[in-house]
């Protein structure tokens, strides 16, 4: 090989006056340098920063060491606490340097297209249809997301069983270091209180979910990670709470507000409420009836009670009657309930909450693609009431393409799931829903800080 190399050199190198040994020494150095350059192969690397983070934090994903313009596929997978698998994939072309940076590169195919740095997370889909991703144990174990990088050509040629070019595991936590969880069993109250690290004091928030019942803690734990003393409050189908209550007793929620305000680490004089779906009717009623509630976030809900009556100190709010004939079914056989409450009919106003009596502030968040509740219409009706009474204590965030289950950022869209043996269509389109979750989460925090912390201007 060395002899071949010599005879392929420029003729000028063969005419020399130096000693022969020196010539061969120089020639050998040139050969070794070129040989090393020709045979050195870059190692393919897949990196993510940070590897361990809260679920509402973005991750910077990059691949390096590829051949220029190579087509590759990024694949993500996650196993939930029940063993259900969720998957996503996106296909990219490396740049001229053999690199793919998801912060700048556009996906050309897969589960989404375009520049979406966190697309592999919010496009995760269940292997088993009608499965919703829900974190139960928020304190002790994160979700682990497996990232793998494949040569796209191998996948196209049905060689997906081949080993990935690179892989890594990410940790996605629902609680920050130093956050404490306190189980609440005080009187008839049932829930979990999450406190941020430090001496405090902190703005207090009551977190209410909807028709699933039980106790969901993932939003309260994240709020505590962002500086809020957050009470995840159960109100049916949990421990000794009734599985199917006949009424909603608002005094229970008043007890929760007072419990939070008595805590030495909580700011006064008011608390906030974050509510979604069925929880919205309770959050709205709390804002109307309880002076302790000064900031209320209402995500995709109604401006009236439904299902069962609400009772508070002798007052009874009767549930709005629904029209069963207006239940519809999607092309995939999923139930859609968003038309069953006709609030514009004669006599409907008697069921609506008197929102004009509330002294605090409202943040209405609605997904215009909600297929369970006509949340935009209900929010606009409540805002109309406020306007007619000269009130401007409200903000409306309305998101085209977002569905019913608007959750913290980078959560996968759940457009349908099995709930109480019903196949429900929650609605939403993947990309606009993801954008709504990211934007609304920041706005929720800004709103709560503004109205719960004295003389506080939120940095968000």
């Amino acid at each position: 090989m060395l002899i071949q190399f010599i005879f392929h050199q420029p003729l000028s190198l063969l005419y020399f006056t130096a000693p022969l040994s020196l010539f061969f020494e120089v020639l050998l150095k040139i050969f070794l340098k070129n040989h090393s350059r020709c045979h050195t192969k870059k190692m393919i690397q897949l990196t993510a920063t940070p590897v361990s983070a809260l679920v509402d934090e973005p991750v910077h994903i990059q691949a390096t060491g590829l051949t220029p313009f190579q087509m590759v596929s990024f694949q993500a997978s996650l196993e939930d606490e029940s063993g259900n698998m969720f998957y996503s994939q996106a296909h990219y072309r490396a740049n001229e340097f053999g690199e793919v940076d998801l912060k700048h590169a556009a996906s050309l195919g897969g589960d989404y297209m375009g520049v979406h740095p966190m697309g592999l997370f919010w496009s995760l889909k269940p292997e088993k249809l009608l499965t919703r991703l829900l974190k139960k144990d928020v304190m002790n174990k994160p979700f682990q997301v497996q990232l793998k990088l494949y040569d796209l050509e191998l996948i196209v040629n049905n060689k997906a069983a081949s080993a990935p070019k690179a892989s890594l595991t990410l940790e996605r936590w629902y609680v920050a270091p130093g956050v404490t969880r306190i189980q609440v069993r005080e009187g008839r109250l049932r829930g979990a209180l999450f406190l941020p690290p430090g001496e405090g004091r902190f703005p207090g928030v009551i977190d209410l979910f909807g028709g699933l019942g039980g106790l969901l803690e993932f939003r309260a734990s994240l709020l505590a990670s962002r500086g809020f003393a957050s009470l995840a409050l159960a109100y049916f189908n949990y421990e000794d709470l009734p599985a199917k209550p006949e009424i909603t007793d608002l005094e229970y929620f008043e007890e929760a507000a007072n419990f939070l305000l008595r805590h030495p680490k909580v700011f006064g004089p008011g608390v906030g409420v974050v509510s979604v779906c069925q929880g919205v009717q309770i959050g709205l009623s709390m804002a109307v009836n309880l002076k302790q509630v000064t900031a209320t976030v209402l995500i995709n809900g109604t401006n009236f009670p439904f299902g069962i009556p609400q009772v508070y100190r002798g007052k009874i709010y009767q549930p709005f009657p629904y029209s069963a004939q207006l239940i519809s079914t999607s092309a995939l056989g999923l139930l859609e309930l968003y038309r069953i409450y006709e609030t514009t009919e004669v006599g409907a106003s008697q069921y609506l909450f008197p929102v004009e009596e509330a002294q605090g502030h409202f943040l209405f968040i609605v997904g215009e693609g909600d297929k369970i509740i006509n949340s935009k219409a209900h929010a606009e009706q409540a805002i109309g009431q406020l306007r007619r009474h000269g009130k401007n204590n409200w903000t409306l965030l309305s998101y085209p393409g977002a569905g019913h289950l608007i959750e913290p950022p980078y959560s996968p869209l759940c457009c349908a799931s099995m709930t109480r043996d019903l196949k429900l269509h929650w609605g939403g389109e993947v990309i606009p829903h993801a954008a709504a979750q990211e934007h609304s989460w920041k706005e929720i925090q800004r709103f709560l800080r503004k109205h719960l912390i004295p003389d506080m201007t939120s940095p968000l």
Side-chain angles (χ1 to χ4, degrees), residues 308-327:
I308 57 176
Q310 282 193 18
V311 177
Y312 180 66
R313 299 187 184 278
K315 287 191 288 187
I316 300 177
Y317 297 98
Q318 293 293 344
F320 200 106
Y322 68 92
S323 302
Q325 71 274 16
L326 297 179
I327 296 174

Side-chain angles (χ1 to χ4, degrees), residues 388-408:
R388 287 192 295 275
H389 288 83
K391 296 290 192 79
N392 60 357
N393 56 340
W394 56 271
T395 300
L396 172 64
L397 300 177
S398 186
Y399 297 103
H404 184 73
L405 297 175
I406 295 178
E407 298 186 331

Side-chain angles (χ1 to χ4, degrees), residues 81 135-143 172-183 192-195 217-218 220-222 224-225:
E81 292 150 316
K135 191 73 173 80
K136 297 173 183 177
D137 179 4
V138 299
M139 293 298 295
N140 299 307
K141 190 176 180 180
F143 275 145
R172 305 294 284 169
W173 288 90
Y174 282 80
V175 65
V179 170
T180 56
R181 178 189 183 277
I182 303 169
Q183 187 73 39
L193 176 62
F194 293 87
L195 295 174
E217 303 178 10
F218 65 85
S221 63
L222 275 179
S225 301

Side-chain angles (χ1 to χ4, degrees), residues 20 190 202 214 219 326 344 428 438:
L20 188 62
R190 298 292 179 267
F202 308 104
R219 192 167 57 202
L326 297 179
T344 57
E438 188 170 359

